[in-house]
Amino acid sequence: DAGVIQSPRHEVTEMGQEVTLRCKPISGHNSLFWYRQTMMRGLELLIYFNNNVPIDDSGMPEDRFSAKMPNASFSTLKIQPSEPRDSAVYFCASFFGDFSEQFFGPGTRLTVL
Amino acid sequence: SQQGEEDPQALSIQEGENATMNCSYKTSINNLQWYRQNSGRGLVHLILIRSNEREKHSGRLRVTLDTSKKSSSLLITASRAADTASYFCATDFQGAQKLVFGQGTRLTINP
């Protein structure tokens, strides 16, 4: 298995532009998580899905952020409009079951100028 | 606020020495996990310990859990340069599937 796949790996954009991050979880995993990592705030959970349904989006910073999971093999995190303070590394992770290890993707490093 | 907090924030030791990192958390848990993150990479799961377990081993890793003190420790024995990374503890939050991560301990192994 290729593991959790994220794209793009790096994204540089200008303030105000729309940004879409993509994630393909490991086949068979039924839970998917989006995290954001910065030096100041560490690793923050933004939203997670179980069986393609959003369960907890309390970590989504504001309405500019939205996430979808149209099927079991694909999820997107969209920021519109983007702001410089959104600059961070965004990770996607997946797992199967109730309480078990999460498998992380390599992350997308987002820079908003 | 963070559920898990690691201590120390940074640790630098000589190759071959043992490294101990601690984690404290605030609420009751079902399990506690430790992850490693190499610079520029995603997190990698190291070990999971359940709330009814007190100690667990995996290779050179030893994890302990004290639920009465709401704390855990990760011991890496006979450290190697390749162990240089950040180490995070993570706990489930109020029985939910989501994990809450601490700020991490940055471990540097000097050759």
mmCIF file of all heavy atoms in Angstrom, chain B residues 1-3 7-8 11 13 22 26 33 39 43 47 51 53 62 70 80 84 88 92 98 108:
data_model
loop_
_atom_site.group_PDB
_atom_site.id
_atom_site.type_symbol
_atom_site.label_atom_id
_atom_site.label_comp_id
_atom_site.label_asym_id
_atom_site.label_seq_id
_atom_site.Cartn_x
_atom_site.Cartn_y
_atom_site.Cartn_z
ATOM 1 N N SER B 1 -7.239 24.036 25.200
ATOM 2 C CA SER B 1 -5.910 23.794 25.743
ATOM 3 C C SER B 1 -5.484 22.379 25.385
ATOM 4 O O SER B 1 -6.300 21.528 25.068
ATOM 5 C CB SER B 1 -5.910 23.969 27.257
ATOM 6 O OG SER B 1 -6.776 23.057 27.848
ATOM 7 N N GLN B 2 -4.195 22.125 25.429
ATOM 8 C CA GLN B 2 -3.653 20.846 25.054
ATOM 9 C C GLN B 2 -4.069 19.790 26.057
ATOM 10 O O GLN B 2 -4.024 19.995 27.257
ATOM 11 C CB GLN B 2 -2.121 20.933 24.976
ATOM 12 C CG GLN B 2 -1.606 21.874 23.911
ATOM 13 C CD GLN B 2 -1.804 21.313 22.514
ATOM 14 O OE1 GLN B 2 -2.055 20.143 22.334
ATOM 15 N NE2 GLN B 2 -1.711 22.162 21.519
ATOM 16 N N GLN B 3 -4.417 18.613 25.558
ATOM 17 C CA GLN B 3 -4.719 17.501 26.445
ATOM 18 C C GLN B 3 -3.429 16.893 26.953
ATOM 19 O O GLN B 3 -3.308 16.556 28.116
ATOM 20 C CB GLN B 3 -5.557 16.462 25.685
ATOM 21 C CG GLN B 3 -5.603 15.092 26.296
ATOM 22 C CD GLN B 3 -6.505 14.989 27.513
ATOM 23 O OE1 GLN B 3 -6.580 15.897 28.308
ATOM 24 N NE2 GLN B 3 -7.171 13.867 27.649
ATOM 25 N N ASP B 7 7.344 16.768 28.277
ATOM 26 C CA ASP B 7 8.422 17.363 29.051
ATOM 27 C C ASP B 7 9.640 16.456 28.927
ATOM 28 O O ASP B 7 9.506 15.238 29.087
ATOM 29 C CB ASP B 7 7.985 17.496 30.512
ATOM 30 C CG ASP B 7 9.121 17.892 31.426
ATOM 31 O OD1 ASP B 7 9.721 18.951 31.187
ATOM 32 O OD2 ASP B 7 9.417 17.125 32.364
ATOM 33 N N PRO B 8 10.837 16.954 28.618
ATOM 34 C CA PRO B 8 11.128 18.364 28.354
ATOM 35 C C PRO B 8 10.711 18.774 26.946
ATOM 36 O O PRO B 8 10.350 17.919 26.139
ATOM 37 C CB PRO B 8 12.635 18.418 28.515
ATOM 38 C CG PRO B 8 13.088 17.079 28.044
ATOM 39 C CD PRO B 8 12.020 16.115 28.514
ATOM 40 N N LEU B 11 15.600 17.924 24.247
ATOM 41 C CA LEU B 11 16.522 17.035 24.942
ATOM 42 C C LEU B 11 17.675 16.707 24.004
ATOM 43 O O LEU B 11 17.446 16.308 22.858
ATOM 44 C CB LEU B 11 15.789 15.755 25.357
ATOM 45 C CG LEU B 11 16.574 14.670 26.075
ATOM 46 C CD1 LEU B 11 17.112 15.189 27.393
ATOM 47 C CD2 LEU B 11 15.700 13.439 26.298
ATOM 48 N N ILE B 13 21.266 14.471 23.884
ATOM 49 C CA ILE B 13 22.086 13.476 24.571
ATOM 50 C C ILE B 13 23.112 12.887 23.610
ATOM 51 O O ILE B 13 23.041 13.102 22.390
ATOM 52 C CB ILE B 13 21.223 12.342 25.161
ATOM 53 C CG1 ILE B 13 20.473 11.606 24.041
ATOM 54 C CG2 ILE B 13 20.267 12.872 26.208
ATOM 55 C CD1 ILE B 13 19.718 10.372 24.520
ATOM 56 N N ASN B 22 8.528 12.632 28.931
ATOM 57 C CA ASN B 22 7.333 12.484 29.745
ATOM 58 C C ASN B 22 6.152 13.211 29.116
ATOM 59 O O ASN B 22 6.322 14.180 28.369
ATOM 60 C CB ASN B 22 7.579 13.049 31.139
ATOM 61 C CG ASN B 22 8.743 12.379 31.827
ATOM 62 O OD1 ASN B 22 8.720 11.190 32.105
ATOM 63 N ND2 ASN B 22 9.799 13.149 32.065
ATOM 64 N N LYS B 26 -4.891 15.555 30.926
ATOM 65 C CA LYS B 26 -5.801 16.159 31.893
ATOM 66 C C LYS B 26 -7.047 15.332 32.197
ATOM 67 O O LYS B 26 -7.542 15.335 33.317
ATOM 68 C CB LYS B 26 -6.224 17.544 31.391
ATOM 69 C CG LYS B 26 -5.063 18.507 31.254
ATOM 70 C CD LYS B 26 -5.499 19.844 30.671
ATOM 71 C CE LYS B 26 -4.305 20.775 30.504
ATOM 72 N NZ LYS B 26 -4.687 22.062 29.846
ATOM 73 N N GLN B 33 -0.944 7.250 22.910
ATOM 74 C CA GLN B 33 -0.064 6.839 21.828
ATOM 75 C C GLN B 33 1.149 7.760 21.763
ATOM 76 O O GLN B 33 1.071 8.928 22.143
ATOM 77 C CB GLN B 33 -0.818 6.893 20.490
ATOM 78 C CG GLN B 33 -2.099 6.067 20.477
ATOM 79 C CD GLN B 33 -2.797 6.093 19.134
ATOM 80 O OE1 GLN B 33 -2.167 6.110 18.090
ATOM 81 N NE2 GLN B 33 -4.133 6.078 19.161
ATOM 82 N N SER B 39 12.144 15.636 10.733
ATOM 83 C CA SER B 39 12.020 16.971 10.163
ATOM 84 C C SER B 39 11.440 16.919 8.751
ATOM 85 O O SER B 39 11.937 16.189 7.897
ATOM 86 C CB SER B 39 13.385 17.650 10.150
ATOM 87 O OG SER B 39 13.290 18.956 9.616
ATOM 88 N N LEU B 43 3.893 12.341 10.815
ATOM 89 C CA LEU B 43 4.095 11.605 12.058
ATOM 90 C C LEU B 43 4.018 10.108 11.804
ATOM 91 O O LEU B 43 3.236 9.640 10.973
ATOM 92 C CB LEU B 43 3.040 12.000 13.088
ATOM 93 C CG LEU B 43 3.294 13.292 13.863
ATOM 94 C CD1 LEU B 43 3.106 14.505 12.983
ATOM 95 C CD2 LEU B 43 2.393 13.370 15.081
ATOM 96 N N ILE B 47 3.940 3.504 19.321
ATOM 97 C CA ILE B 47 3.416 2.535 20.279
ATOM 98 C C ILE B 47 2.107 3.061 20.862
ATOM 99 O O ILE B 47 1.917 4.277 20.988
ATOM 100 C CB ILE B 47 4.467 2.261 21.377
ATOM 101 C CG1 ILE B 47 4.152 0.995 22.154
ATOM 102 C CG2 ILE B 47 4.637 3.461 22.277
ATOM 103 C CD1 ILE B 47 5.342 0.500 22.979
ATOM 104 N N SER B 51 -5.470 2.083 28.602
ATOM 105 C CA SER B 51 -5.601 2.615 29.956
ATOM 106 C C SER B 51 -5.479 1.538 31.028
ATOM 107 O O SER B 51 -5.160 1.840 32.179
ATOM 108 C CB SER B 51 -6.944 3.339 30.116
ATOM 109 O OG SER B 51 -8.014 2.456 29.862
ATOM 110 N N GLU B 53 -3.290 -0.890 30.851
ATOM 111 C CA GLU B 53 -1.912 -1.373 30.809
ATOM 112 C C GLU B 53 -1.001 -0.403 31.551
ATOM 113 O O GLU B 53 -1.257 0.806 31.577
ATOM 114 C CB GLU B 53 -1.447 -1.524 29.350
ATOM 115 C CG GLU B 53 -2.256 -2.547 28.565
ATOM 116 C CD GLU B 53 -1.848 -2.598 27.098
ATOM 117 O OE1 GLU B 53 -1.741 -1.527 26.465
ATOM 118 O OE2 GLU B 53 -1.652 -3.733 26.603
ATOM 119 N N ARG B 62 10.307 1.750 25.496
ATOM 120 C CA ARG B 62 9.547 1.294 26.653
ATOM 121 C C ARG B 62 8.623 2.430 27.067
ATOM 122 O O ARG B 62 9.064 3.556 27.278
ATOM 123 C CB ARG B 62 10.475 0.933 27.811
ATOM 124 C CG ARG B 62 9.746 0.624 29.124
ATOM 125 C CD ARG B 62 10.740 0.243 30.208
ATOM 126 N NE ARG B 62 10.093 0.211 31.520
ATOM 127 C CZ ARG B 62 10.339 1.078 32.490
ATOM 128 N NH1 ARG B 62 11.218 2.045 32.313
ATOM 129 N NH2 ARG B 62 9.712 0.975 33.651
ATOM 130 N N LYS B 70 -2.051 10.565 35.713
ATOM 131 C CA LYS B 70 -2.317 11.081 34.365
ATOM 132 C C LYS B 70 -0.998 11.430 33.672
ATOM 133 O O LYS B 70 -0.796 12.568 33.196
ATOM 134 C CB LYS B 70 -3.259 12.280 34.414
ATOM 135 C CG LYS B 70 -4.689 11.941 34.840
ATOM 136 C CD LYS B 70 -5.616 13.138 34.723
ATOM 137 C CE LYS B 70 -7.058 12.736 34.918
ATOM 138 N NZ LYS B 70 -7.323 12.136 36.229
ATOM 139 N N ARG B 80 20.396 6.191 19.055
ATOM 140 C CA ARG B 80 21.168 6.261 17.814
ATOM 141 C C ARG B 80 20.927 7.603 17.149
ATOM 142 O O ARG B 80 19.912 8.247 17.409
ATOM 143 C CB ARG B 80 20.740 5.142 16.867
ATOM 144 C CG ARG B 80 20.804 3.752 17.456
ATOM 145 C CD ARG B 80 20.093 2.753 16.570
ATOM 146 N NE ARG B 80 20.113 1.400 17.134
ATOM 147 C CZ ARG B 80 19.401 0.381 16.662
ATOM 148 N NH1 ARG B 80 18.612 0.581 15.611
ATOM 149 N NH2 ARG B 80 19.478 -0.806 17.240
ATOM 150 N N THR B 84 17.066 10.959 16.242
ATOM 151 C CA THR B 84 16.862 12.408 16.255
ATOM 152 C C THR B 84 15.551 12.737 15.558
ATOM 153 O O THR B 84 15.367 12.433 14.380
ATOM 154 C CB THR B 84 18.023 13.130 15.561
ATOM 155 O OG1 THR B 84 19.209 12.948 16.327
ATOM 156 C CG2 THR B 84 17.733 14.614 15.428
ATOM 157 N N PHE B 88 5.880 12.941 20.035
ATOM 158 C CA PHE B 88 4.599 13.473 20.505
ATOM 159 C C PHE B 88 3.804 12.383 21.212
ATOM 160 O O PHE B 88 3.775 11.229 20.757
ATOM 161 C CB PHE B 88 3.762 13.963 19.325
ATOM 162 C CG PHE B 88 4.342 15.120 18.578
ATOM 163 C CD1 PHE B 88 5.257 14.920 17.556
ATOM 164 C CD2 PHE B 88 3.963 16.418 18.885
ATOM 165 C CE1 PHE B 88 5.795 15.988 16.855
ATOM 166 C CE2 PHE B 88 4.481 17.494 18.186
ATOM 167 C CZ PHE B 88 5.407 17.273 17.173
ATOM 168 N N ASP B 92 -6.776 10.002 23.262
ATOM 169 C CA ASP B 92 -8.141 10.170 22.792
ATOM 170 C C ASP B 92 -8.812 11.181 23.707
ATOM 171 O O ASP B 92 -8.403 11.364 24.856
ATOM 172 C CB ASP B 92 -8.888 8.845 22.795
ATOM 173 C CG ASP B 92 -8.949 8.237 24.180
ATOM 174 O OD1 ASP B 92 -7.922 7.694 24.639
ATOM 175 O OD2 ASP B 92 -10.009 8.310 24.819
ATOM 176 N N LYS B 98 -11.085 10.987 17.944
ATOM 177 C CA LYS B 98 -10.021 11.934 17.630
ATOM 178 C C LYS B 98 -8.934 11.903 18.683
ATOM 179 O O LYS B 98 -9.162 11.563 19.848
ATOM 180 C CB LYS B 98 -10.577 13.343 17.501
ATOM 181 C CG LYS B 98 -11.097 13.955 18.796
ATOM 182 C CD LYS B 98 -11.644 15.352 18.530
ATOM 183 C CE LYS B 98 -12.101 16.044 19.794
ATOM 184 N NZ LYS B 98 -12.651 17.401 19.491
ATOM 185 N N THR B 108 17.565 15.371 20.213
ATOM 186 C CA THR B 108 18.756 15.403 19.370
ATOM 187 C C THR B 108 19.764 14.423 19.930
ATOM 188 O O THR B 108 20.103 14.483 21.121
ATOM 189 C CB THR B 108 19.379 16.812 19.334
ATOM 190 O OG1 THR B 108 18.407 17.740 18.841
ATOM 191 C CG2 THR B 108 20.599 16.830 18.424
#
